Amino acid sequence: MTAYTVNYKDIATAEVFDSLSVMTSTFLHRLSLDIMRAAGNGNEYYVALSGGTTPFGIFKRTPLGWGSPFLLRRLMLYWGDERCVAPDSEESNYGNTHREWLNKIGIPAENVNRIMGENDPQQEAQRYASLLRKMPQKNGLPQFDLVLLGIGEDGHTASIFPDYADLLHSRELVAVTKHPGSGQNRITLTGPVINNAKNVLFLATGERKIPVLKDVFSDSEKARGFPAYHIRPEGDLRWYLDTASGSWYKK
Ligand code: 6PG
């Protein structure tokens, strides 16, 4: 189970897990319960998945055949961001998720709403925004039940990089950005959509995330320049850490 839980100023809860296997079983157990709860209310469960490599820890440990057909029929998948590459590229968030997770759990294809990285970025951002307008709304914005996020060492999240902090308050639902290092075009949900979520879950594992986590959880001046620091959803804000990334916190 969780090694220990940190309540951060009533803003966020950080759970530090002894192993990625325990993190995975906890993630999948809670996801199942949440989908069943939504189904009990006659609703589907809308999730925006994170990109990057951290989710692979959960994807690789997800048992083959996880999730009953009843459950998977009610899980509607989207992405928080995508690289502007073809879906079969090793850079593709959709491609990696499909390879590492989707083809293990057998979710219905019609429930998978990928960002088409191979399309013109601006046109695709508009297409994806129109797709989001068809999902449940609240406050005049699409409302996800769960947005899964990672955090970069520069404090970015999704593809909202520090130079794009204005997207935290954008009037757009989806925007085009450029990775500051590679210049790669990215398509990303904007801050208002992410912050409109009922639940936001950050996954951050490994020692290389210690500096950025220490800044975020210590409210440092530097952290205020991190887009991830400004993710403050209406609902639950939670961090899943492992004993490496969470090692900085001393009870
Ligand atoms: C992406 C992600 C990005 C990622 C962080 C952390 O498309 O790369 O959306 O925000 O979550 O950069 O990446 P790692 O999980 O690889 O450390």
Side-chain angles (χ1 to χ4, degrees), residues 50-55 81 83 93 150-152 156-158 186 208-209:
S50 158
T53 59
T54 302
D81 71 323
R83 290 86 178 276
N93 289 330
I151 184 169
H156 79 260
T157 192
R186 299 285 188 91
R208 68 188 176 92
K209 298 296 171 79

Side-chain angles (χ1 to χ4, degrees), residues 51-111:
T53 59
T54 302
F56 294 177
I58 285 180
F59 295 162
K60 290 182 191 303
R61 291 168 178 81
T62 295
L64 191 61
W66 173 82
S68 67
F70 176 88
L71 207 71
L72 294 168
R73 263 201 311 279
R74 287 159 177 78
L75 178 57
M76 314 308 282
L77 290 183
Y78 296 74
W79 271 262
D81 71 323
E82 185 57 277
R83 290 86 178 276
C84 292
V85 295
D88 60 357
S89 161
E90 61 182 21
E91 279 279 293
S92 168
N93 289 330
Y94 161 75
N96 289 327
T97 307
H98 184 266
R99 197 171 31 255
E100 300 287 346
W101 198 49
L102 300 188
N103 61 7
K104 284 171 75 173
I105 64 175
I107 189 167
E110 61 271 21
N111 291 21

Side-chain angles (χ1 to χ4, degrees), residues 121 159-164 167 175-188:
S159 282
I160 306 177
F161 301 102
D163 290 349
Y164 291 89
L167 293 180
V176 179
T177 63
K178 271 188 189 302
H179 187 282
S182 65
Q184 183 185 63
N185 281 325
R186 299 285 188 91
I187 295 169
T188 184

Side-chain angles (χ1 to χ4, degrees), residues 233-249:
E234 282 205 358
D236 185 64
L237 176 59
R238 196 165 294 264
W239 292 74
Y240 279 9
L241 312 179
D242 63 2
T243 47
S245 63
S247 57
W248 55 274
Y249 182 79

